[in-house]
Amino acid sequence: MFGEDALTELASRAAAGDSQATADLLTQLRPMIVRYCRARLGRVGGGFVTADDVAQEVCLAVLAALPRYRDMGRPFAAFVFGIAGHKVTDAHRAATRALQVAPVESVPERPDTDVGPEGRALAADLSRQLTALLDRLSPAHREIILLRVAVGLTAEETGVALGMKPGAVRVAQHRALARLRAFAEEEVTA
Amino acid sequence: MSAFDEVTADDSALDALGRGEAAPEGDRLLGMLATWRADLAEGEGAPAIRPAVPVTEDVPDVAEVLPLAPRRHRRRRMLVAAAAAAVLAAGISGVAAAGSARPGDTLWPVTKLVYSDRAASVQAEIATERALRRAETAAAEGRTAEAAEHLATADEQLGRVTSSDAAKRLRERADRLRENDQRVVVPPAPGTTPKPPAGGTAPARPTPSGPVDNPGDNPGDPGNQGGGDKGKDKGRDKVPATRTASVTTTPVLPGNGNGNGHGRNRDQDTAPLVERASPAATVLTTPAQHAVTKPRGQRPASPRRATPPLTIRTLGHAPTSTHTSF
């Protein structure tokens, strides 16, 4: 990807009011943010629409927070994915609130819980399987894999974003991968 | 491979996956991760966002459009005002037009509501006309009693006509009818005609050619000085009373009643009085009483009004307006 310095330097110029730098920054950031949100939220209701909406909110929040960003030795990616993490948590909370039980007069119709042919095909999908595997990881390990693979941050950037030393990130990601392999073996044998 | 090497290998593999590169052959987990990464990047090639550079070309358009909006507003407001004015004008002219509406017209209800006086006048006018027409028809066919009755109704209705033109026209018509058919209308001429004997002798001599009295032509007639049609009606009301009195030989007779106006029903008049008296007496007693009681209150006070301008010989069909016993 692009260097940590490049992104941080772009962010410093954008924070100073350079509109061209802001445009470039967003162009580079957005795919990362979208992948992050999609990885965290998955296909809600069969598509990435919800995740992309959250990603859009993250982009807006980053833009709004940009004037407050000062280069203080922290990589900009850590700044962005701190925001993204909070936004995704907010989305989860909102979804939880929306799911809260409300008294209704009649029992609503329920969707068919049987997956059906298309659902089975999708479940057979590798990425679906991986999502199931990732769900079994601890939250810290899952976040590391997510930032490293889905977003494409380096071990150093991931460490800054998560408040870890780069070495600790490397050890943790190794353990996470080992655990995923073990889960995958279980799936195959099961 | 040492533990450190494994960590480094995984780190570089994750770096490659993070850059979106394909997974190395043979590693199932890394293949899944690569597929997952590609799945997440779905649709990434599409134009992500609009450039954040401020757009300057569109600004003139906006500046051009903005002043147009209020102008369009003003035009709409003017349209609304024009529509309102049109509706108002239509309403006013409709109400104004209703002033000349007649029964059966579309605007007649409006006339009744807004110009109730005029509506009443128009209705009286129509009633007068109808009565006159009937009187004319009846006179033409020889039903004199009926004609006189209708003529009386016409006079009564004529009093309610406020429109001077219509009243004049109708009065002329009524007068003409009286002139044309002298047998229908008998002049009362109270001052000039001799009083009938108040005794039991009925006025049996018919005077077909009795002087015709047109009320307007008789300035000396005190009954006319009140000038009202109602005065005429009132006066005529008394006629049957007078006649009845003479028939039934009731001594109570108004002083100026007259019995010489028998122009009409000559056949009836010439019939033996006894025969006629028996049925008529019972029937006409009421008017007689009416005539007796009435003068007590009114006659002495205003003798002028009491004089009947007309005497109509209508024994069986005296003006019925007050004769509820019929």
Side-chain angles (χ1 to χ4, degrees), chain B residues 90-283:
Chain B
I92 288 173
S93 61
V95 170
S100 55
R102 301 184 67 86
D105 289 359
T106 317
L107 288 173
W108 175 243
V110 181
T111 310
K112 276 207 289 189
L113 197 71
V114 181
Y115 307 98
S116 55
D117 295 351
R118 208 180 301 180
S121 171
V122 166
Q123 276 174 321
E125 196 182 312
I126 287 164
T128 311
E129 237 164 310
R130 199 189 310 123
L132 279 175
R133 208 180 316 119
R134 282 180 187 157
E136 280 162 0
T137 315
E141 292 169 3
R143 288 175 279 123
T144 48
E146 217 174 298
E149 189 184 329
H150 289 311
L151 202 53
T153 314
D155 277 339
E156 188 189 324
Q157 293 291 338
L158 194 53
R160 295 187 200 132
V161 177
T162 53
S163 159
S164 55
D165 281 356
K168 191 170 164 234
R169 178 170 50 82
L170 290 168
R171 193 166 297 126
E172 276 169 6
R173 194 169 155 193
D175 291 346
R176 212 179 309 126
L177 182 61
R178 287 193 189 95
E179 277 171 33
N180 286 352
D181 201 344
Q182 297 180 352
R183 291 168 307 173
V184 180
V185 182
V186 179
T192 54
T193 48
K195 287 179 188 175
T201 29
R205 13 147 228 161
T207 53
S209 57
V212 177
D213 180 38
N214 201 335
D217 296 335
N218 196 351
D221 186 358
N224 254 357
Q225 292 174 9
D229 291 330
K230 278 176 186 163
K232 281 189 237 168
D233 288 343
K234 220 173 259 174
R236 214 170 298 129
D237 274 353
K238 276 189 297 291
V239 173
T242 314
R243 174 67 184 147
T244 311
S246 62
V247 168
T248 53
T249 71
T250 313
V252 201
L253 241 189
N256 64 344
N258 60 83
N260 73 334
H262 359 291
R264 208 51 187 155
N265 307 321
R266 221 177 308 159
D267 302 339
Q268 286 182 6
D269 276 352
T270 46
L273 273 172
V274 195
E275 288 176 25
R276 288 185 52 241
S278 47
T282 49
V283 176

